Amino acid sequence: MAGNQNAMAQQQKKVGAQFGGLAIGSGRPVVIAGPCSVESEAQILAAAHAVKAAGAAALRGGAFKPRTSPKSFQGLGEEGLKLLALAREQTGLPVVTEVMDTGEIDLVARYADVLQIGSRNMQNFALLKQVGWAGKPVILKRGLAATIAEWVSAAEYITMTGNTQVILCERGIRTFETHTRNTLDLSAAVAARELTGLPVMVDPSHAAGRRDLIPALSRAALAAGVDGLMIEVHPNPEQALSDKEQQLTFAAFGSLMAELGLLPAGALASLDACRQVIDQIDDELLALLARRMETVQRVGELKRVTGMPVLQPAREQALLDRLTSGAARELEGHDVRTIWQAILACSRRHQQTAG
Ligand code: PEP
Ligand code: MN
């Protein structure tokens, strides 16, 4: 096997620059981003424009979805592929989408720039062989419980067809841990890259299964020297038809790209560009405030039932103290107090007039 892997590494060096228009292996990390599933025209177009503005190199989105339960959303199928093609037309971003079945390879390859083999199909050998023949770059995700050697052998099924444009993607493996959806195995990402010479990406979204861990895992993956990241991003994660716990909002994705130093040159150079980002953040603030009000209303009902007055000075004081002490560097404690005093006044009014 070592001989084969060396041959694969040699061969790879010659074709490094291709990968469906992704400058992968060029030294600058490549980020592929987009929703878990393509759900509607409005959803995929909004996601495509937002991830492009934040510096993503390609758009992802599942049209054929490998769902654990047959009762879960299975994807829009060909309609989803057409929407991805429309998003590419509007943004110029190459499109990455999963193919699950040998019978669908031709169809998916007509629309996609890069074909994805999902974790659950990593050892579907008929699919691996035939996807190689489609002549498109392939992202091969690591199986949920595959060893590094099994993953590398699966890649060889594809490269054996003469298609050496394979990108490996570590997306977390099954372990005894239940706090996270899977366990991100960075050592496998690094080892597979060394063994094969193929570019390796990391998908922190499916690894963690929860959006709060994605920035730290992304930083860790890039520090380990991988070639790129695949990140799930949705216009409204709460409403997503699949993987809603792990998808980032546009604003969170923008912040992450800024933190990773991957915002495109000029992303915040013009007044218009900055205002677009501010509009995105304000939309999210508004949605969060609406959710806060829903909860406030419920608190109002509980206060009424238990005969508590609406105004609870000690609770308000504790809330303000907590927020002002935890205020981020960019915010003065005094400003945080002013903003939340206004929010609390609205909340009280809401409780007084409700019911
Ligand atoms: C996906 O990327 O859409 C996906 C289903 O991931 P995985 O195959 O890694 O579970
Ligand atoms: Mn997903």
Side-chain angles (χ1 to χ4, degrees):
M1 190 153 112
N4 264 348
Q5 282 158 10
N6 265 341
M8 220 152 88
Q10 289 306 319
Q11 212 172 6
Q12 194 48 48
K13 289 205 174 77
K14 288 184 232 139
V15 294
Q18 303 167 15
F19 303 108
L22 295 175
I24 196 155
S26 66
R28 184 179 165 84
V30 160
V31 177
I32 301 175
C36 179
S37 307
V38 180
E39 297 170 2
S40 69
E41 181 174 324
Q43 176 243 20
I44 195 68
L45 292 182
H49 286 283
V51 301
K52 179 173 178 161
L59 175 68
R60 64 146 289 144
F64 293 95
K65 293 301 300 175
R67 303 307 300 283
T68 302
S69 163
K71 296 189 194 110
S72 304
F73 176 59
Q74 302 288 305
L76 297 181
E78 185 169 5
E79 179 55 25
L81 297 174
K82 288 184 178 158
L83 294 175
L84 285 168
L86 179 64
R88 170 179 50 214
E89 208 176 294
Q90 289 198 4
T91 59
L93 290 178
V95 156
V96 179
T97 198
E98 177 161 353
V99 56
M100 296 203 299
D101 193 299
T102 51
E104 286 156 359
I105 294 176
D106 287 347
L107 174 69
V108 178
R110 272 208 294 283
Y111 293 94
D113 299 284
V114 178
L115 301 172
Q116 178 171 315
I117 300 290
S119 204
R120 292 155 193 82
N121 269 320
M122 191 205 79
Q123 285 189 315
N124 180 338
F125 299 116
L127 185 62
L128 294 174
K129 281 190 264 188
Q130 287 196 36
V131 89
W133 294 117
K136 295 262 167 127
V138 179
I139 292 184
L140 177 64
K141 289 200 140 190
R142 183 184 181 192
L144 275 72
T147 64
I148 296 171
E150 287 164 344
W151 189 21
V152 169
S153 292
E156 286 175 347
Y157 269 92
I158 305 171
T159 54
M160 250 173 41
T161 66
N163 181 348
T164 54
Q165 293 200 72
V166 177
I167 302 165
L168 300 173
C169 182
E170 156 64 29
R171 44 76 76 208
I173 49 171
R174 270 289 158 79
T175 66
F176 51 81
E177 186 54 71
T178 54
H179 184 70
T180 47
R181 180 175 178 183
N182 292 291
T183 297
L184 179 61
D185 185 4
L186 277 184
S187 44
V190 175
R193 195 167 179 273
E194 274 178 22
L195 283 168
T196 62
L198 295 169
V200 174
M201 307 194 72
V202 161
D203 169 351
S205 306
H206 290 89
R210 33 188 295 175
R211 66 180 69 81
D212 60 328
L213 297 182
I214 290 168
L217 297 184
S218 301
R219 288 195 303 273
L222 295 187
V226 303
D227 303 284
L229 299 168
M230 178 182 277
I231 298 176
E232 287 190 339
V233 177
H234 191 284
N236 186 354
E238 300 285 337
Q239 303 296 322
L241 299 180
S242 55
D243 287 352
K244 63 186 200 168
E245 306 296 331
Q246 70 194 36
Q247 304 205 54
L248 294 184
T249 62
F250 295 164
F253 180 65
S255 303
L256 174 59
M257 292 296 275
E259 186 185 336
L260 298 176
L262 296 176
L263 279 185
L268 294 178
S270 70
L271 191 60
D272 267 0
C274 293
R275 285 187 169 155
Q276 245 180 10
V277 172
I278 287 183
D279 285 349
Q280 237 168 46
I281 295 172
D282 284 346
D283 286 347
E284 286 181 24
L285 281 175
L286 208 55
L288 282 173
L289 285 171
R291 245 180 78 206
R292 190 183 198 284
M293 282 304 169
E294 267 173 41
T295 316
V296 158
Q297 186 159 359
R298 175 71 189 133
V299 170
E301 285 162 17
L302 293 169
K303 283 178 179 165
R304 233 184 342 274
V305 172
T306 52
M308 270 166 89
V310 165
L311 177 62
Q312 297 286 313
R315 160 69 185 158
E316 289 200 1
Q317 193 53 52
L319 182 156
L320 290 171
D321 288 348
R322 185 177 68 81
L323 292 174
T324 48
S325 67
R329 223 172 349 108
E330 295 76 4
L331 282 168
E332 303 262 345
H334 167 77
D335 292 333
V336 171
R337 186 172 296 275
T338 310
I339 294 165
W340 260 272
Q341 273 167 343
I343 292 175
L344 288 170
C346 295
S347 301
R348 259 183 264 120
R349 214 169 40 244
H350 199 63
Q351 289 184 351
Q352 265 144 5
T353 52

